[in-house]
Amino acid sequence: MITRAELESARRRAMTLLERAGIVARQDELERIEVADMGLSELEQSGVQILTLVDTQKIAAKVLVLLPYQTEPEHRHPRLGDYPGKEETIRCWWGELRLYTPGEPTPKPLASPPARRRHTYTVWHEQVMRPGEQVTIPPNEPHWFQGGPEGAVVWSFSTKAIDVTDIFTDPDVRRVTVVADG
Amino acid sequence: MITRAELESARRRAMTLLERAGIVARQDELERIEVADMGLSELEQSGVQILTLVDTQKIAAKVLVLLPYQTEPEHRHPRLGDYPGKEETIRCWWGELRLYTPGEPTPKPLASPPARRRHTYTVWHEQVMRPGEQVTIPPNEPHWFQGGPEGAVVWSFSTKAIDVTDIFTDPDVRRVTVVADG
């Protein structure tokens, strides 16, 4: 749960970073920026801001904004019936993104998720991504990422996005942001 | 067929427009910009420059550069076996794009394809696209587009791209650019 003020603050900060990154969006798209606190009520630490530009029955193109050191918790995009699950290419466009996927754990990773949630982060192979660098994540592969010191603006190019079916390692995550009254 | 000098000139001009448009790409990606003259040997009039950023078995994200008044000839993305054909969202990012699709013909369209090829342009419903505007083109729907006075930089977000199977209305089109020796 976040307050209306927290939501508006995150949206404004995201819009500032989108502008620095040279992202070209219409006003109506910007007004629909999703502020996702993942139900953890610690938006500065855990969450992401999402600008959806394309979202058809077949593909999606979204711009993700990570505030400085903000972490999108570990999750995967599972199979759903005939659909093998979302394949996602993450491309860094501005700032720095630390991406973690399965593989050899990096001995001294740059990112540190919130201490009391660390046990819900299970993949530790680090790739530090700068503008122009990208990684394709196959369906159902767990991954998480964190913005660098100035945050990050990254593209997510993917097959069909069905966010509500994403599976988060942390059982406390709720994909829908609840805004507190008042 | 185009000369090496024409190819390099088009690539340089495309890179200038990509920079103006704020497209973030690595050097190795820029070096692979495809200059497509469609085999028509009139690159200034007919053709497109393509920067491919994502190209997996499932999706593609490309940045198309149209030089001023340059036209990508009418074509469609047909079914191929189980694959229903490429669904493509064209999003204007910089400049102006005139897009033509099936529907009510626009009485006084802004674009005019090369006069001697005009009979190979059959769809005339015009949408003049400015930065932030986009249109999704279903599989197999014919379409063509032209850059405005300053050219255009546009995203193509799509399902799997199999360019060599594209069907062009103009039987003279050859999808592979041949560069003249010398």
Side-chain angles (χ1 to χ4, degrees):
Chain A
M1 186 177 292
I2 61 175
T3 65
R4 175 67 53 188
E6 285 173 318
L7 185 150
E8 288 306 330
S9 166
R11 185 172 281 152
R12 273 197 304 275
R13 292 168 70 190
M15 285 177 61
T16 300
L17 295 184
L18 288 166
E19 197 174 326
R20 279 190 206 157
I23 297 298
V24 177
R26 305 188 310 273
Q27 190 58 32
D28 63 296
E29 292 171 325
L30 293 171
E31 284 167 9
R32 287 196 299 270
I33 288 176
E34 180 189 3
V35 176
D37 84 330
M38 308 292 169
L40 298 176
S41 304
E42 50 176 29
L43 184 61
E44 293 286 321
Q45 291 79 46
S46 304
V48 62
Q49 292 65 230
I50 305 170
L51 171 65
T52 297
L53 298 184
V54 180
D55 187 24
T56 78
Q57 288 300 308
K58 298 182 178 185
I59 64 164
K62 305 185 175 199
V63 183
L64 313 180
V65 181
L66 283 300
L67 303 176
Y69 304 113
Q70 193 184 35
T71 303
E72 162 134 9
E74 184 178 298
H75 64 287
R76 55 194 172 86
H77 311 290
R79 170 178 288 278
L80 188 68
D82 287 343
Y83 180 51
K86 184 167 92 166
E87 176 200 271
E88 182 175 30
T89 297
I90 295 286
R91 181 181 178 90
C92 184
W93 198 255
W94 183 90
E96 178 189 296
L97 188 79
R98 296 91 179 258
L99 172 70
Y100 299 85
T101 54
E104 189 65 34
T106 298
K108 292 182 176 172
L110 284 182
S112 48
R116 66 198 177 91
R117 302 202 178 277
R118 194 180 162 103
H119 62 288
T120 65
Y121 291 77
T122 68
V123 296
W124 286 93
H125 180 71
E126 176 178 84
Q127 291 174 82
V128 179
M129 298 168 68
R130 305 279 181 177
E133 295 177 344
Q134 67 185 30
V135 172
T136 297
I137 300 161
N140 211 36
E141 181 174 284
H143 56 286
W144 62 280
F145 41 79
Q146 184 176 86
E150 298 185 279
V153 176
V154 305
W155 283 92
S156 163
F157 304 109
S158 74
T159 58
K160 183 173 173 53
I162 317 174
D163 294 350
V164 293
T165 65
D166 289 350
I167 295 175
F168 284 79
T169 311
D170 186 339
D172 291 340
V173 164
R174 300 287 174 272
R175 190 57 188 77
V176 177
T177 298
V178 176
V179 180
D181 285 338
Chain B
M1 187 179 288
I2 60 176
T3 65
R4 175 67 53 187
E6 285 173 318
L7 184 149
E8 288 307 330
S9 167
R11 183 171 283 153
R12 272 196 307 274
R13 292 168 70 191
M15 284 177 60
T16 300
L17 295 184
L18 288 165
E19 196 175 327
R20 280 189 205 158
I23 297 297
V24 177
R26 304 188 311 273
Q27 190 58 31
D28 62 295
E29 292 171 323
L30 293 170
E31 284 167 8
R32 287 194 299 269
I33 288 176
E34 181 189 2
V35 176
D37 85 331
M38 307 293 168
L40 298 175
S41 306
E42 49 176 30
L43 184 61
E44 293 286 321
Q45 291 79 46
S46 304
V48 61
Q49 294 63 231
I50 306 170
L51 171 65
T52 296
L53 298 184
V54 180
D55 187 23
T56 78
Q57 287 301 308
K58 298 182 178 184
I59 64 165
K62 304 183 177 201
V63 183
L64 313 181
V65 181
L66 283 300
L67 302 176
Y69 304 113
Q70 192 183 36
T71 302
E72 163 133 8
E74 184 178 298
H75 64 287
R76 56 193 172 87
H77 310 289
R79 171 179 286 278
L80 188 69
D82 287 342
Y83 180 51
K86 185 168 90 166
E87 176 198 272
E88 181 175 31
T89 296
I90 295 286
R91 181 181 178 91
C92 184
W93 198 255
W94 184 91
E96 176 189 297
L97 189 79
R98 297 92 178 257
L99 173 69
Y100 299 86
T101 54
E104 189 65 34
T106 298
K108 293 182 176 172
L110 285 182
S112 48
R116 67 196 177 92
R117 304 202 176 276
R118 194 179 163 103
H119 61 288
T120 66
Y121 290 77
T122 69
V123 296
W124 285 93
H125 179 70
E126 176 179 86
Q127 292 175 83
V128 179
M129 298 168 67
R130 303 279 181 179
E133 295 176 346
Q134 66 185 32
V135 172
T136 297
I137 300 161
N140 212 37
E141 181 174 282
H143 57 286
W144 61 281
F145 42 80
Q146 184 175 86
E150 297 185 280
V153 176
V154 306
W155 283 92
S156 164
F157 304 109
S158 75
T159 58
K160 183 174 173 53
I162 318 176
D163 294 350
V164 293
T165 66
D166 289 349
I167 295 175
F168 284 79
T169 311
D170 186 339
D172 290 341
V173 164
R174 298 288 174 272
R175 188 57 187 79
V176 176
T177 298
V178 176
V179 179
D181 285 339

